Each structure stands twice: as structure tokens, then as C-alpha cells.
Amino acid sequence: MKYAIETTQLSKKIQLKNGQSLSILHDITLQIPLGSSVAITGASGSGKTTLLGLLAGLDTVSGGDIKLLDTSMVDLTEDQRAALRLGQVGFVFQSFHLMNNLSALENIMLPLELEKSNKNPQKTALKALEQVGLSERATHLPTQLSGGEQQRIALARAFVNKPKILFADEPTGNLDQATSTDIEQLLFKLQKENDSTLILVTHDEALAEQCEYHYKLVDGKLVNNV
Ligand SMILES: Nc1ncnc2c1ncn2[C@@H]1O[C@H](COP(=O)(O)OP(=O)(O)O)[C@@H](O)[C@H]1O
Ligand SMILES: [Mg+2]
């Protein structure tokens, strides 16, 4: 396998309540090599989150083809797409998305428990916690952690099963400058250590520059920004 993701003339339209349709993305053709890092930038409302949702198979396309890890997703059901993602795809969001009723360690264990193939989820999760420098916080709840710490836990959870692809949607959007820099460095470190493909949505041009490929969304189309 050569590519993590391949799309051909991908499009996304949304049916509005007044009967009209809104074209959000069109004619998106791209290939993302396995193990590479890709930044997607664009103005607010340009369709970045929508595109990430399509690439990850969370949402369905209106036209075109999309392959995730060599499997075309256009004819798959939601359950089949979820099965394809299981153990292979991780996510990090702007707003952390941790489970507030679970401890830091339990949050990190979640993907391993879903996947069921890990014999000792707690041990693996403790190692992931150590990799993000928060070993002493294992039993803390998300509400007892700062924003930066919560995002570290989210990163540990996203990488705990060594995903082939890691999607990050503005992962530093809710953090101050110094914390953002820490999280960015950690993100690239974990990508390398886990040999993952990184697909990163950001409006931080400096962060985008650190990726191997940089695309920009303009009027629903993707332009190569290098
Ligand atoms: N379910 C939806 N219904 C109507 N409009 C939507 C829907 N989802 C997204 N949009 C619109 O599509 C555009 C792109 O949204 P989004 O992908 O969230 O942009 P970005 O992440 O770049 O800010 C926006 O104009 C948004 O309002
Ligand atoms: Mg967005």
C-alpha cells in the first residue's frame, strides 16, 4: 500500500431546508502518501472540517471516489466505515472531546477496549500517558486538568493504538501560544514514533509550514500551497 488516502473528484453538497442545495466542496483530487504529514488551511467556513469528515469516512460524499487505506468508502455502510477505521484511524479535535466521567487513564484506554485485541490495555495506556509527560495525572478527571493537559491526554488516546492515520482538526485552536507550541511538538513527535500519517487542519500558517504537504481550500476547491 502506497497511499493512506486517495480521492478522485470528490464533491459535497448539502440539501438546505428551502429546497436549494449548497455546494461545499468540489473536484477534490488528492493522494496522501502513507507516513506523510499534510496540512489543510483555509478561511473559516471554507470547508476544512467537512473535508476532514469525508476523508475519515465520518460523512458521505455527494460525488467522486475516496479510498481510505486502499478501500473505497463510497459504497460502504456507516458500520463498515467504522470497522475500517477501527484500530487504524485516530482523531484529535479543537475541543479535546474527552469523556468527562472517565479518568485520564480510562480515556486513553478507550480505543484499546473498543479494539479488543490488546491483552493489557492499562499497561499500554500507562505507557502512552508517560509519552505525553502526564504519568502523575492518571486518576485525574478532565475537569481537573488544564486545556493543554487535556489535549495531551487526547493525543495519548489518539495515538495509543498506533494508528496508520491521525486526523487533527485545529488541535491548538483553544490553546494559548506557548501551550500550542508544546502540543504541536508533541503531535509531530508522536507521529514519528508511531509511523502515522498526519492530516492536520489548521489556520496557523507556521504550523502548516512544518508539514510535508500544504493544501489550501479556496471556494470549495483544494489548491496546492507549496
Ligand atoms: N450540515 C450543514 N448544513 C448547512 N451548512 C453546512 C453544514 N455543514 C457545513 N455547512 C457549511 O459549509 C461550510 C463549510 O463548513 P466547515 O467545513 O465547518 O468549514 P471550516 O471547518 O473550514 O470552518 C460553511 O459555510 C458551513 O456553514
Ligand atoms: Mg472547522
Side-chain angles (χ1 to χ4, degrees):
M1 199 191 320
K2 196 170 167 196
Y3 297 112
I5 292 177
E6 287 181 87
T7 74
T8 316
Q9 297 196 303
L10 199 68
S11 66
K12 181 69 180 177
K13 285 195 187 94
I14 282 184
Q15 218 56 46
L16 300 177
K17 287 205 179 78
N18 64 10
Q20 292 186 318
S21 75
L22 174 72
S23 173
I24 301 181
L25 300 169
H26 46 96
D27 206 17
I28 292 186
T29 298
L30 60 77
Q31 292 165 324
I32 298 178
L34 269 175
S36 64
S37 55
V38 179
I40 299 169
T41 57
S44 179
S46 61
K48 303 182 297 295
T49 295
T50 305
L51 178 59
L52 214 60
L54 294 177
L55 298 182
L58 296 172
D59 194 4
T60 53
V61 305
S62 306
D65 189 26
I66 172 159
K67 281 187 188 158
L68 183 79
L69 299 167
D70 261 358
T71 305
S72 174
M73 292 196 287
V74 293
D75 294 323
L76 299 187
T77 63
E78 200 170 334
D79 286 349
Q80 288 171 324
R81 296 197 307 273
L84 177 61
R85 280 194 301 273
L86 189 67
Q88 313 225 66
V89 174
F91 292 93
V92 185
F93 304 93
Q94 179 172 358
S95 48
F96 322 134
H97 285 214
L98 296 173
M99 305 286 279
N100 277 326
N101 56 334
L102 298 182
S103 71
L105 187 67
E106 288 164 345
N107 265 284
I108 300 171
M109 285 165 64
L110 269 182
L112 299 172
E113 284 167 346
L114 284 172
E115 211 187 334
K116 296 192 180 89
S117 59
N118 190 295
K119 291 211 176 61
N120 195 341
Q122 185 161 350
K123 191 175 161 201
T124 307
L126 277 168
K127 218 167 111 192
L129 195 60
E130 197 184 314
Q131 281 181 312
V132 299
L134 289 177
S135 294
E136 323 81 78
R137 303 303 195 108
T139 61
H140 288 215
L141 293 170
T143 49
Q144 299 170 309
L145 301 170
S146 71
E149 287 164 348
Q150 288 185 56
Q151 196 61 306
R152 282 174 178 266
I153 300 298
L155 282 173
R157 180 182 61 181
F159 280 104
V160 73
N161 49 13
K162 300 187 174 292
K164 289 207 176 72
I165 310 176
L166 194 287
F167 291 97
D169 194 351
E170 309 209 27
T172 60
N174 272 345
L175 303 172
D176 62 55
Q177 190 54 55
T179 310
S180 293
T181 307
D182 287 349
I183 292 293
E184 288 160 15
Q185 284 171 356
L186 188 58
L187 184 60
F188 287 112
K189 177 179 103 103
L190 290 170
Q191 183 213 352
K192 283 195 194 76
E193 285 175 2
N194 292 288
D195 232 348
S196 303
T197 312
L198 175 64
I199 302 172
L200 172 70
V201 162
T202 179
H203 50 234
D204 181 342
E205 293 289 328
L207 177 56
E209 291 303 308
Q210 292 181 52
C211 293
E212 285 168 71
Y213 303 96
H214 181 184
Y215 293 101
K216 198 168 194 166
L217 268 176
V218 182
D219 298 329
K221 283 186 129 176
L222 209 53
V223 294
N224 208 320
N225 205 40
V226 211

